[in-house]
Amino acid sequence: MSEKMLKFVNIGKKTPVKRSIEKRTEDFKEIYNRFAHDKAEEQSSRCSQCGVPFCQIHCPLQNNIPDWLKLTAEGRLQEANELAHSTNNMPEICGSICPQDRLCEGNCVIESAGHGTVTIGSVEKYIADTAWEKGWIKPIKISKEKKQSVGIIGAGPAGLACAEELRKLGYKITIYDRHDRSGGLLIYGIPNFKLEKITVERRTNLLKEGGIKFKQNFEVGRDLTLNQLKKKHDAILIATGVYKPREINLPGSDLKNIFPAMEFLTASNRKGLGEKVENFDNGMLNAENKDIVIIGGGDTGMDCVRTAVRQNAKSVKCLYRRDKENMPGSAREVNNAEEEGVEFLWLSNPKKFIGKSKISSVLVERMKLGKPDSSGRKKPEPVSNSEFEIKTDMVIKALGFDPEDLPKLFNCSDLSISRWGTIKIDFKTMETNLPGVFAAGDIVRGASLVVWAIRDGRDAAISIQKYLENKLNKNEIAA
Ligand SMILES: Cc1cc2nc3c(=O)[nH]c(=O)nc-3n(C[C@H](O)[C@H](O)[C@H](O)COP(=O)(O)OP(=O)(O)OC[C@H]3O[C@@H](n4cnc5c(N)ncnc54)[C@H](O)[C@@H]3O)c2cc1C
Ligand code: SF4
């Protein structure tokens, strides 16, 4: 089919994505409603204390869910809070943004019996929010500071959790981060409407008050090499996350107004933090009144479509090459996006970006699912003569992230990485091939979840403590 012969296809209705200002200011409440505080005790009392805590087993932190539900149901919130904090450094954050349908709540026995899960995440958030409100959450106080110090590269959830655990033990901690704010993707990736940034800032301020030093705008590799940093500390944790966007190289990829997801989300988050963002203010990264196409069906794609809705886009379409059942994004997020008027084009793959200097449409081809590939997932295959065109003013690519080339960036060719570019560690100790250098979070697992990053940070802290104690003992014997 020639390009000229192709008609603009308007698939389905013109998407009604206009939202009133009141609706938008209610954004957080809309999500938070599920967590309504007055329902927390009622929800907690629904737990059947079934004896086989599948919820706990499927929580990466193995949170003692049945016990803190029981304490909440009995109104013993201070004890519930202590229990919640004994396994999780950021309960209110996990309670808000964990994909509970795939973790704790998805494995609730009541859910399996068809009666709807106990809203575990919401209760966890309620417990921690109440603790903040009542002043029960206090900065770390140590009786005696140890001489040994740990340098942590990356102030995302993995780095912050490890820092907190080690500081509680008395170690000197410095966190280095190349951004101006700490929090990693909690600040600049996850959108405001899912996570109030105040909750992240509150956490990092608490760590500062507890004596942890933060060096922002400090990029390891540029400001110091890894070896130079190693000389300043007794142990190092690398928790740098994954940031290299996966690319889609199509004809027309160099047209204007095609953006990687993180550029779009960071601009929106910076705006939400009250900053002046030139490329948002001049309209370039603002979806308002535009026809938006988002490529990719993962969680980042869902965050982009829902951010575009909140910026009052004229229409928002999401292209995904497999079907709804095989979409990687959380089912809950997809349903939310559908309710908000996002149009999903399942089994659709972009083939070409069309426009003069700016993008004006995307040529899309239909796909069908073939035989399973090596990963066991059915492989999408193009349907011949199925192309159609979609008009657009802005395309956002949300195809996932890969690790940056850390050995090169850190000027440390000795650091071992896997064939995917993630850092190789000994999974029992979280140590890399370089003695005294540990790694945790997305840079080890590949793009994952906040709750797993926290788990890794905590595990790394245990190993780093053992390493430092051994080092001290050896030094004492040698002296
Ligand atoms: C758009 C988006 C939405 C997401 N939504 C969710 C969600 O709803 N729920 C969920 O559980 N997970 C979500 N995730 C995943 C989650 O954010 C990550 O799994 C988690 O943040 C990983 O934590 P981390 O500490 O390993 O890395 P990060 O959070 O990425 O933090 C790494 C830090 O290292 C710093 N850094 C990198 N290189 C250097 C260097 N050379 N020198 C100094 N500092 C450096 C970075 O600036 C950053 O602050 C989302 C991810 C994205 C991209
Ligand atoms: S940390 Fe996440 S998975 Fe674990 S109980 Fe809380 S919400 Fe559920």
Side-chain angles (χ1 to χ4, degrees):
M1 206 184 307
S2 82
E3 233 176 86
K4 276 190 187 158
M5 282 166 67
L6 288 166
K7 288 189 187 139
F8 283 102
V9 180
N10 186 6
I11 301 159
K13 57 189 184 310
K14 195 80 182 159
T15 320
V17 287
K18 280 266 179 207
R19 293 159 57 86
S20 67
I21 293 190
E22 302 85 78
K23 183 74 184 140
R24 276 180 287 136
T25 50
E26 290 283 305
D27 275 347
F28 191 75
K29 279 199 199 132
E30 154 199 308
I31 293 184
Y32 196 68
N33 236 348
R34 230 172 57 79
F35 310 132
H37 279 186
D38 55 354
K39 301 234 171 72
E41 286 180 17
E42 181 193 315
Q43 275 296 320
S44 303
S45 62
R46 289 184 63 232
C47 174
S48 66
Q49 300 288 322
C50 57
V52 190
F54 289 114
C55 55
Q56 180 170 3
I57 295 164
H58 286 88
C59 164
L61 293 163
Q62 256 91 71
N63 277 344
N64 194 340
I65 301 164
D67 282 2
W68 45 249
L69 286 176
K70 188 163 185 284
L71 289 167
T72 306
E74 291 168 0
R76 293 158 66 189
L77 279 179
Q78 202 157 358
E79 290 160 83
N81 175 56
E82 273 163 34
L83 196 56
H85 274 90
S86 68
T87 50
N88 191 351
N89 302 70
M90 309 172 190
E92 68 285 12
I93 293 179
C94 291
S96 306
I97 57 160
C98 269
Q100 287 101 2
D101 53 343
R102 305 202 299 249
L103 302 169
C104 53
E105 293 179 13
N107 291 281
C108 169
V109 168
I110 298 180
E111 169 83 357
S112 312
H115 299 297
T117 177
V118 173
T119 55
I120 297 167
S122 68
V123 178
E124 188 178 23
K125 180 167 166 47
Y126 166 68
I127 295 168
D129 277 351
T130 310
W132 278 103
E133 245 170 67
K134 303 260 183 203
W136 298 335
I137 298 178
K138 301 261 192 285
I140 302 165
K141 264 203 182 131
I142 49 171
S143 47
K144 194 169 172 229
E145 190 171 71
K146 292 189 163 71
K147 285 206 174 113
Q148 288 170 305
S149 80
V150 182
I152 294 182
I153 314 172
L160 295 177
C162 181
E164 183 169 7
E165 292 308 298
L166 287 171
R167 183 65 188 162
K168 283 184 202 159
L169 298 168
Y171 294 104
K172 293 182 195 161
I173 310 291
T174 308
I175 306 186
Y176 302 87
D177 200 290
R178 66 184 173 191
H179 272 138
D180 51 350
R181 286 190 174 85
S182 50
L185 288 171
L186 296 174
I187 282 284
Y188 289 131
I190 301 173
N192 289 318
F193 69 87
K194 270 170 66 180
L195 181 65
E196 287 173 305
K197 303 300 166 181
I198 178 82
T199 59
V200 184
E201 288 174 342
R202 199 166 60 176
R203 281 278 163 204
T204 49
N205 287 340
L206 192 81
L207 296 181
K208 280 178 202 160
E209 285 171 48
I212 293 172
K213 293 201 177 75
F214 284 79
K215 287 200 186 260
Q216 301 296 152
N217 296 310
F218 188 107
E219 182 165 338
V220 177
R222 181 194 65 193
D223 297 316
L224 279 186
T225 65
L226 181 61
N227 281 326
Q228 286 167 329
L229 200 66
K230 267 173 71 185
K231 288 190 187 132
K232 287 170 77 89
H233 297 284
D234 297 283
I236 296 284
L237 177 79
I238 305 175
T240 48
V242 289
Y243 284 90
K244 195 169 89 187
R246 283 194 197 129
E247 268 308 330
I248 177 162
N249 287 318
L250 297 177
S253 285
D254 55 348
L255 287 169
K256 284 192 189 135
N257 294 347
I258 304 176
F259 302 105
M262 274 306 285
E263 207 172 323
F264 175 66
L265 292 173
T266 304
S268 173
N269 276 323
R270 283 195 183 277
K271 251 349 254 180
L273 284 156
E275 283 182 31
K276 206 174 169 311
V277 181
E278 201 186 322
N279 283 342
F280 184 93
D281 300 335
N282 66 20
M284 199 167 101
L285 287 167
N286 185 350
E288 188 170 5
N289 269 328
K290 292 181 184 162
D291 291 310
I292 309 292
V293 170
I294 282 137
I295 304 172
D299 287 333
T300 303
M302 294 312 97
D303 286 344
C304 291
V305 295
R306 301 189 70 204
T307 300
V309 167
R310 280 157 182 77
Q311 290 178 0
N312 275 339
K314 208 193 296 172
S315 73
V316 183
K317 292 187 173 67
C318 178
L319 300 184
Y320 180 55
R321 63 197 181 129
R322 291 188 166 92
D323 58 7
K324 189 172 180 181
E325 285 67 46
N326 287 289
M327 204 163 171
S330 145
R332 187 185 283 168
E333 286 289 292
V334 177
N335 291 341
N336 287 339
E338 277 183 325
E339 266 176 29
E340 291 170 359
V342 174
E343 201 178 327
F344 286 90
L345 276 63
W346 314 112
L347 294 163
S348 301
N349 206 29
K351 229 183 147 184
K352 186 177 177 182
F353 297 126
I354 299 167
K356 288 217 170 91
S357 66
K358 289 181 188 165
I359 181 98
S360 58
S361 62
V362 184
L363 182 69
V364 181
E365 74 180 340
R366 287 277 179 213
M367 309 296 280
K368 60 179 185 209
L369 291 181
K371 290 199 175 123
D373 59 18
S374 56
S375 72
R377 295 173 78 202
K378 284 185 184 166
K379 203 174 159 200
E381 291 163 3
V383 175
S384 51
N385 294 324
S386 66
E387 290 101 340
F388 58 93
E389 228 175 295
I390 309 174
K391 266 167 90 167
T392 183
D393 305 301
M394 189 201 270
V395 168
I396 299 164
K397 298 175 287 181
L399 297 142
F401 302 93
D402 287 317
E404 292 158 282
D405 184 349
L406 278 200
K408 191 170 166 204
L409 273 181
F410 284 181
N411 195 7
C412 182
S413 54
D414 294 348
L415 180 67
S416 274
I417 54 168
S418 71
R419 64 191 164 106
W420 300 280
T422 49
I423 295 184
K424 270 193 189 167
I425 56 166
D426 172 339
F427 280 95
K428 278 196 207 118
T429 62
M430 318 281 291
E431 197 170 17
T432 67
N433 65 315
L434 307 176
V437 179
F438 297 76
D442 280 6
I443 192 58
V444 173
R445 293 178 176 273
S448 178
L449 293 174
V450 169
V451 65
W452 278 115
I454 296 173
R455 168 69 195 263
D456 286 354
R458 294 173 68 89
D459 286 350
I462 294 171
S463 288
I464 292 173
Q465 182 200 6
K466 279 189 197 147
Y467 170 85
L468 291 175
E469 280 176 356
N470 277 340
K471 193 172 173 180
L472 199 65
N473 289 341
K474 274 187 203 155
N475 288 349
E476 275 168 10
I477 291 164

